């Protein structure tokens, strides 16, 4: 089954994909980048948690509380009149069937897309006052994220296909290790915000085998897709 929405934006730095999975991706998560070429997996699939996150028996962050929705997971929303600018979160999405899009106008053309993603799990997105339209298809309802987040998390593990974790509220800073990754299908990304632009990315990689990454307390989010579960080592 094809994913919903338009072809997602993407770019390549070296062998590492910076961007998101094509909305017309195949079953392996491969799709077209911004030039129409096939891109490696570099998705922003997510499963981050909000304040109130609980941990499983292994200390891994997992979803718990459900907040009141700010707007529904299906629809096209005018920024400023239908929804306010700010950071929003959707959780509990499966199989990459949640598609969202920030747009600079309502033309529906590719050039109008500012950022977009196909999501498994959770996604955080910052909608700016300069955005004109926010589109959401097949997603769970969106809830507003309070400015400043919450107290720091003690979670010491992450679901390797969990997606987008807020550093502090969802997962503690530190060095994490993921093992058993095959065929460069493990993608991770450290970001400074939830804008989902190329400038948002601090560092990223596609990994075969064992992956090791240090998440800084200054990072805003950590994205992980197709990886083995992450465990804190330091």
């Amino acid at each position: 089954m094809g994913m919903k929405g338009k072809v997602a934006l993407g770019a390549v730095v070296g062998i590492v994909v910076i961007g998101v999975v094509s909305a017309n991706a195949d079953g392996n998560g491969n799709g077209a980048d911004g030039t129409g070429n096939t891109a490696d997996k570099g998705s922003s699939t997510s499963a981050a948690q909000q304040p109130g996150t609980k941990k499983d028996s292994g200390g891994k962050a997992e979803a718990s509380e459900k907040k009141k929705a700010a707007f529904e997971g299906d629809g096209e929303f005018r920024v400023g009149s239908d929804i306010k600018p700010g950071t929003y979160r959707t959780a509990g999405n499966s199989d990459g069937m949640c598609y969202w899009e920030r747009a600079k106008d309502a033309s529906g053309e590719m050039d109008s897309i500012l950022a977009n993603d196909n999501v498994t799990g959770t996604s955080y997105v910052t909608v700016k006052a300069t955005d004109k339209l926010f589109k959401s298809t097949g997603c769970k309802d969106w809830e507003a994220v309070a400015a400043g987040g919450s107290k720091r998390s003690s979670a010491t593990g992450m679901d390797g296909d969990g997606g987008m974790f807020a550093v502090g509220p969802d997962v503690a800073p530190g060095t994490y290790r993921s093992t058993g990754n095959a065929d460069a299908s493990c993608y991770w990304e450290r970001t400074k915000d939830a804008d989902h632009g190329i400038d948002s990315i601090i560092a990223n990689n596609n990994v075969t085998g064992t992956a090791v990454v240090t998440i800084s307390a200054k990072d805003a989010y950590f994205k992980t897709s197709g990886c083995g579960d992450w465990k804190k080592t330091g």
Side-chain angles (χ1 to χ4, degrees), residues 162-227:
M164 195 169 181
F165 295 83
V167 179
D170 300 337
V171 66
T175 299
Y176 290 81
R177 184 172 181 263
S178 169
T179 60
N181 301 298
D183 302 324
S185 61
C186 169
Y187 174 81
W188 64 258
E189 180 179 304
R190 295 168 50 217
T191 71
K192 64 183 180 181
D193 54 43
D195 294 355
H196 295 268
I198 290 177
D199 292 341
S200 300
I201 298 174
I202 299 169
N204 65 352
N205 202 7
N206 290 102
V207 181
T208 299
T210 299
V212 179
V213 61
T214 297
I215 301 171
S216 169
K218 295 181 180 179
D219 296 350
Y221 300 94
F222 181 75
K223 301 179 184 179
T224 173
S225 173
C227 302

Side-chain angles (χ1 to χ4, degrees), residues 19-21 42-46 117-119 122-123 163-164 189 196 223:
V20 296
V21 165
S43 71
S44 301
T45 54
S46 312
D117 198 5
N118 291 108
V119 178
T122 298
S123 185
M164 195 169 181
E189 180 179 304
H196 295 268
K223 301 179 184 179

Side-chain angles (χ1 to χ4, degrees), residues 95-159:
D95 301 325
M97 296 305 292
C98 165
Y99 173 82
W100 64 258
E101 177 182 312
R102 292 173 49 221
K104 63 183 180 182
D105 56 46
S107 69
E109 298 177 1
M110 287 298 298
D111 288 345
S112 70
I113 299 176
L114 298 170
N116 63 352
D117 198 5
N118 291 108
V119 178
T120 297
T122 298
S123 185
Y124 288 84
V125 182
T126 297
V127 178
K128 296 186 175 183
T130 51
D131 296 352
K132 298 301 182 183
L133 202 66
F134 184 80
K135 302 180 182 181
S136 178
T137 304
C139 301
K140 300 294 185 180
D141 290 349
W142 293 85
E143 55 195 45
V145 176
S150 67
K151 64 182 181 181
R152 305 205 69 78
S153 170
S154 59
T156 57
M158 292 174 285
D159 180 348

Side-chain angles (χ1 to χ4, degrees), residues 59-82:
K60 185 170 65 179
E62 58 181 18
S64 55
E65 294 182 356
K66 179 175 176 60
K67 292 189 173 183
K68 183 179 179 180
F71 55 93
E72 296 178 352
D74 285 294
E76 299 184 351
F77 306 93
R78 297 165 298 172
V79 179
S81 54
D82 297 328

